């Protein structure tokens, strides 16, 4: 198939839970999972954000970064920065969150959401270590499938790094002692 | 590391949900997930068996087989074949189930459970396409991690088959159109 | 309306979790909640029995008795006494359980289930302190509604006991300090 | 015991989901359940508000009113009226919501929350048909117990109305056909 296209750059106005703004360039070489959400989107709060937090925790040992993207496309006055800050505090969201830049010329859809042609929130985007968009899912996403998709990109990264064959990697990654992808605690 | 050891053969007295008894030899070339359970084990009923059923459904397109193993080590009179048959019917368990052979010389632990040194139920065992035991988990297992572990073994299998590089496999396996590992419906 | 009819007597072959067999006569003066179930009925295991256990715990201070009734109408060989005993042990069911007497003349429906004209399992039956059947629900039953129905029968019992007006009862039963119906711990 | 004290009046700045502001005087004669919450309180969103919505639906046939009270005592800038409006819209909250009046002299605790000496959110307050506070619970509250407490106050109301004995009421309220307190659909 044709090589997947590079993931569009992120256009953001603020970053929370991180010392410095993040960018795909800065994250090149790592697998990136983007969780696009709105703080007042019930499906994001009940399922999407908890899933993203579990990924961040369970894949902590892997070259993978979970990034939240606050893509507000409705009720803009209701989800300003102070509200988002309080939300992240109350819901104990610890991973980096970028605030998507407001739409241009009165477009209600923020710029990054528009560039990725997201259908709504929550949306999960998987970006490989080469910065290519490999998967985009609107709505709830199965943990089993997400885990498999993330591992595919992680093993590719190790292959492309040419360090070793994925089989060896896998062998060391998955024996009775545990897995490269290992739950913490 | 040392090559993982071959998975011990299964010693069973009956098979349900399958026309012919299964064996690791017959399944060579496929990744095998064994879910060892007891029909009266609450954790197996509430979490383990539903997880195994989701794996069987979500990985239906992959060279992976989910096998249940009824490893009764307590209340033997309570979980005879007629009870198991009714249980599988009422709980809509569709994947193949082997009945572990009774322990030898009055051992309450059935033979396969003993051979695998399982600590109890539920226990999940992952066996690679070469028939080697690669992972064994006692108790609840995280969907995200299980999905990653299964994908590791599936990608290894495709590598060892020498058909293609895992990267390409992954590339084709995970684009916007979907993934090799894809939820049905 | 016409007075509700007396609840049919229970016809049982065995009792578990109790020193002596129970009967509606022995329980006269108390509100009785009957939970009719089958040990291999998924809805009973996942919702009905846990609800019955919560009622037994939360209403422990009230003149109310929770009684389980094992009404097997299918897979009879799968749910004999040894299986039921193991099931109650593994699922930590502590309240008294009566085993409904087998149907007559080859009737697959056991005698008490037939006498109550139950449609299936789980079925919840509420019997007032005078031994009258006041409510029968097939399938899942809302906690909020069940709590209200039980309290109705409990307050009636205190009224009929002529001890005091329900209002006073309620007043003492429900103040800032707590309720006559009070969660333990 | 001493008669329970009258419930303190509500001091609010806005009302949503209602044509006219509500007050305890206006609701005299009905049982009132107050659910005090904050829109960014996880326990309120995941458990408290859904419980209040179930009560409003399941007791729709009874002389009972469910009232939400937005008692913001932290992150005030994050939960202004536009945010609350959007929250109620997205979470499909349909019952009347009063916005508690800001604390006096810089008190972070709003006036009604202070008057009721609430310990935090969520807090459930039950007020009888005579306007007396009968129950106040901080944190999650058991459906079974809440249902019983509400029914106690509803039966008292019918007694005080002198229309009929609670027993008859109960008899008509709870027969095989159903209950005065009946789930809709």
């Amino acid at each position: 198939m044709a090589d997947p296209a590079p993931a569009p750059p992120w256009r953001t106005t603020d970053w929370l839970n991180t010392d410095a703004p993040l960018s795909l360039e800065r994250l090149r070489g790592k697998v990136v999972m983007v969780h696009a959400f709105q703080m007042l989107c019930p499906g994001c709060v009940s399922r999407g954000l908890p899933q993203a937090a579990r990924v961040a925790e369970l894949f902590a040992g892997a070259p993978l970064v979970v990034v939240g993207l606050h893509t507000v496309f409705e009720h803009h006055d209701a989800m300003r920065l102070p509200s988002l800050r309080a939300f992240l505090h109350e819901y104990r969201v610890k991973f980096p969150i970028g605030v998507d830049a407001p739409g241009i010329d009165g477009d209600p859809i923020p710029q990054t959401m528009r560039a990725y042609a997201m259908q709504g929130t929550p949306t999960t985007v998987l970006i490989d270590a080469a910065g290519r968009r490999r998967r985009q899912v609107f709505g709830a996403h199965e943990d089993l499938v997400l885990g498999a998709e993330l591992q595919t990109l992680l093993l590719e990264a190790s292959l492309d790094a040419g360090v070793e064959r994925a089989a060896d990697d896998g062998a060391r990654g998955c024996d009775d002692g545990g897995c490269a992808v290992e739950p913490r605690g």
Side-chain angles (χ1 to χ4, degrees), chain A residues 115-141:
Chain A
Y116 278 75
M118 295 178 187
Q119 299 163 260
T121 56
T123 289
T124 301
V125 183
L126 303 187
I127 298 166
D128 65 24
R132 300 171 302 179
R133 173 165 40 162
R134 297 289 294 279
R135 182 87 164 112
Q136 184 163 309
V137 179
F138 169 47
H141 196 25

Side-chain angles (χ1 to χ4, degrees), chain A residues 79-135:
Chain A
M79 296 183 267
R80 302 276 178 217
L81 201 54
S83 296
L84 178 60
R85 276 189 207 285
F87 171 82
L88 297 177
H89 174 78
E90 291 304 318
Y91 279 87
R92 312 275 189 274
V93 177
K94 304 298 187 192
F95 50 83
I97 304 290
V99 177
D100 200 357
I104 295 168
D105 299 336
D107 181 0
I109 310 292
Q111 294 178 42
T112 311
M113 185 178 188
R114 175 70 69 192
Y116 278 75
M118 295 178 187
Q119 299 163 260
T121 56
T123 289
T124 301
V125 183
L126 303 187
I127 298 166
D128 65 24
R132 300 171 302 179
R133 173 165 40 162
R134 297 289 294 279
R135 182 87 164 112

Side-chain angles (χ1 to χ4, degrees), chain A residues 39-112:
Chain A
M39 60 172 280
L40 295 184
C41 152
C44 304
V45 171
S46 63
R47 300 200 44 181
L49 285 163
Q51 181 182 59
R54 283 199 310 279
V55 169
E57 178 193 3
L58 296 170
F59 286 73
L64 179 144
V65 176
V66 173
V67 175
L69 187 65
H70 197 225
T71 52
V72 178
F73 61 93
E74 57 187 347
H75 309 300
H76 295 80
D77 290 343
M79 296 183 267
R80 302 276 178 217
L81 201 54
S83 296
L84 178 60
R85 276 189 207 285
F87 171 82
L88 297 177
H89 174 78
E90 291 304 318
Y91 279 87
R92 312 275 189 274
V93 177
K94 304 298 187 192
F95 50 83
I97 304 290
V99 177
D100 200 357
I104 295 168
D105 299 336
D107 181 0
I109 310 292
Q111 294 178 42
T112 311

Side-chain angles (χ1 to χ4, degrees), chain A residues 51 54 59 141-151:
Chain A
Q51 181 182 59
R54 283 199 310 279
F59 286 73
H141 196 25
E142 247 289 342
D143 277 358
L144 281 164
V145 176
L146 176 58
E149 293 170 349
L150 291 169
Q151 188 72 340

